[in-house]
Amino acid sequence: MHSSDQRPHRRFVLKGAALAAGTLAAAPAVARAATPGAGRAPHAGPFTNPLVRQRADPHIHRHTDGRYYFTATSPEYDRIVLRRSRTLRGIATAEEAVVWRKHTSGDMGAHIWAPEIHHIDGKWYLYFAAAPADDVWKIRMWVLENSHRDPFKGTWTEKGRIVTAWDTFSLDATTFTHRGSRYLAWAQYEPGMDNNTAVFLSRMANPWTVTGPQVRLTTPEYDWECVGFKVNEGASVIKRNGRVFMTYSASATDSNYCLGLLTADARSDLLDPASWTKSPKPVFTSNDTTKQYGPGHNSFTVAEDGRTDVLVYHARQYKEITGDPLHDPNRHTRIQRLGWKADGTPDFGVPVADGRSS
């Protein structure tokens, strides 16, 4: 979410098993035939942007009840909010509920960042980052659980911190399943590395516990990943056309913020870093023509037709920021149709201008 946000990291001693790390070649992915209809996605929208003002790092989950569940970072960094709607457009005016607030002291007392809502094995889970009230940059990943069928009801139980190989700055947890296994992807500072955060992947033993090796999928290496801060964070996964695509956000959280892309064959071992190829150029960037700046920390959902892929992200409406970008509240939630190229890879286009879009 807000990259190391940008404070120098402390160094920590490795805890647990050693990391099975790997770097990525920048070779292009092997092209395969797209699925029928690729590049001719059915009409979705129109959408009106911004969808939700002053909500960064947006995550939209379309549930089996046909509703869209929305959560995002509030600029006060002090709570987790939910909205729901039967339509994507309806999220804009849906009533917002606070389902959890930061602690007044101790763990989870500051910097409540980048929540995601997932429904796993009949229960709801919220993944988010937080820091102790007395050490606000000691940011780690945490999980809440709610067994009620309605996440606006019941009790959100604190399941604890997600423990990784090191006790270092970590955030932006996301989870997905592939070929019968559940995975966690997240951003973390790796001791000894000359960066702020890289993106890691591990299998999960349950919705709040990683198991087995964790591997580094991408670390900042290109110039566009290292502007202001050396950051790879905010991973999100979409599976289409026989491949697994993982987006991530790079650079500082101002107008330099942008999306990168990793690609793996769906039949490959996702825990083998060699299975992934990394785009040498960003796939979604600021645009002076449409007046959208710093697009990033995305998620994916699908339109009401059940077929049209939708890109969810935040961006600002201006380039110049006074002071620390973290103190600027105007990262607004935005949505637009995600296209597909003839070779079956995603076509992000550019962040659309304010107003209604097709």
Side-chain angles (χ1 to χ4, degrees):
M1 134 153 206
H2 316 271
S3 337
S4 305
D5 270 322
Q6 330 266 32
R7 297 296 186 272
H9 287 286
R10 295 183 176 90
R11 300 294 176 109
F12 291 87
V13 177
L14 173 66
K15 291 187 176 182
L19 176 75
T23 56
L24 286 173
V30 176
R32 285 194 173 82
T35 55
R40 300 190 302 276
H43 183 76
F47 301 131
T48 300
N49 281 306
L51 180 70
V52 185
R53 292 181 179 273
Q54 295 194 342
R55 293 292 179 266
D57 316 316
H59 186 259
I60 297 177
H61 165 76
R62 192 187 193 199
H63 191 45
T64 53
D65 64 3
R67 293 177 176 178
Y68 292 95
Y69 290 80
F70 166 86
T71 189
T73 301
S74 300
E76 296 82 8
Y77 307 145
D78 64 351
R79 63 195 186 275
I80 297 177
V81 298
L82 290 182
R83 298 186 186 197
R84 68 179 163 195
S85 171
R86 293 199 177 278
T87 65
L88 284 167
R89 294 185 295 279
I91 292 171
T93 54
E95 184 176 354
E96 188 169 270
V98 177
V99 297
W100 184 88
R101 291 187 183 275
K102 71 177 184 178
H103 293 190
T104 56
S105 62
D107 285 338
M108 295 180 281
H111 282 153
I112 310 305
W113 283 350
E116 289 198 3
I117 185 167
H118 295 266
H119 193 261
I120 303 169
D121 297 333
K123 297 181 180 180
W124 293 95
Y125 293 89
L126 280 164
Y127 296 82
F128 65 102
D134 58 354
D135 194 355
V136 299
W137 295 106
K138 190 179 178 182
I139 292 169
R140 305 292 186 268
M141 302 176 292
W142 300 83
V143 184
L144 306 176
E145 179 188 74
N146 189 341
S147 59
H148 199 285
R149 63 188 301 269
D150 182 349
F152 286 76
K153 299 178 181 179
T155 301
W156 284 98
T157 302
E158 295 169 357
K159 300 300 289 185
R161 180 168 70 89
I162 298 177
V163 178
T164 63
W166 315 290
D167 185 19
T168 62
F169 186 98
S170 52
L171 71 171
D172 295 349
T174 191
T175 183
F176 66 98
T177 58
H178 187 61
R179 299 175 67 188
S181 293
R182 177 164 294 280
Y183 294 88
L184 188 82
W186 73 97
Q188 186 165 13
Y189 171 68
E190 177 181 347
M193 293 290 288
D194 180 25
N195 64 21
N196 296 86
T197 52
V199 172
F200 297 86
L201 185 70
S202 181
R203 280 194 175 91
M204 304 193 79
N206 58 46
W208 58 92
T209 307
V210 296
T211 184
Q214 65 183 53
V215 297
R216 185 195 332 124
L217 297 186
T218 174
T219 187
E221 55 190 311
Y222 296 113
D223 289 346
W224 55 270
E225 298 176 291
C226 301
V227 183
F229 297 92
K230 296 179 179 180
V231 167
N232 285 176
E233 63 181 11
S236 187
V237 169
I238 186 169
K239 298 187 289 182
R240 295 287 184 274
N241 307 327
R243 276 166 279 186
V244 180
F245 300 100
M246 181 184 290
T247 51
Y248 63 91
S249 298
S251 286
T253 56
D254 54 18
S255 62
N256 294 294
Y257 210 47
C258 60
L259 290 185
L261 183 66
L262 304 175
T263 303
D265 189 298
R267 299 165 297 181
S268 66
D269 177 6
L270 299 188
L271 290 174
D272 180 357
S275 296
W276 297 87
T277 56
K278 179 175 177 176
S279 173
K281 296 181 179 180
V283 294
F284 199 57
T285 62
S286 294
N287 190 280
D288 286 322
T289 300
T290 62
K291 306 298 183 185
Q292 301 301 322
Y293 300 98
H297 202 119
N298 79 291
S299 60
F300 297 102
T301 190
V302 66
E304 294 84 350
D305 61 13
R307 295 174 293 174
T308 303
D309 292 310
V310 175
L311 178 67
V312 184
Y313 63 100
H314 74 236
R316 289 188 179 89
Q317 297 159 314
Y318 48 85
K319 190 172 186 177
E320 299 302 324
I321 299 171
T322 301
D324 190 333
L326 282 180
H327 300 152
D328 181 293
N330 294 315
R331 292 182 293 177
H332 304 320
T333 293
R334 309 177 62 81
I335 58 175
Q336 65 191 64
R337 187 177 72 85
L338 178 69
W340 294 93
K341 300 176 183 177
D343 65 358
T345 61
D347 184 356
F348 293 86
V350 301
V352 296
D354 287 351
R356 300 189 85 187
S357 63
S358 60

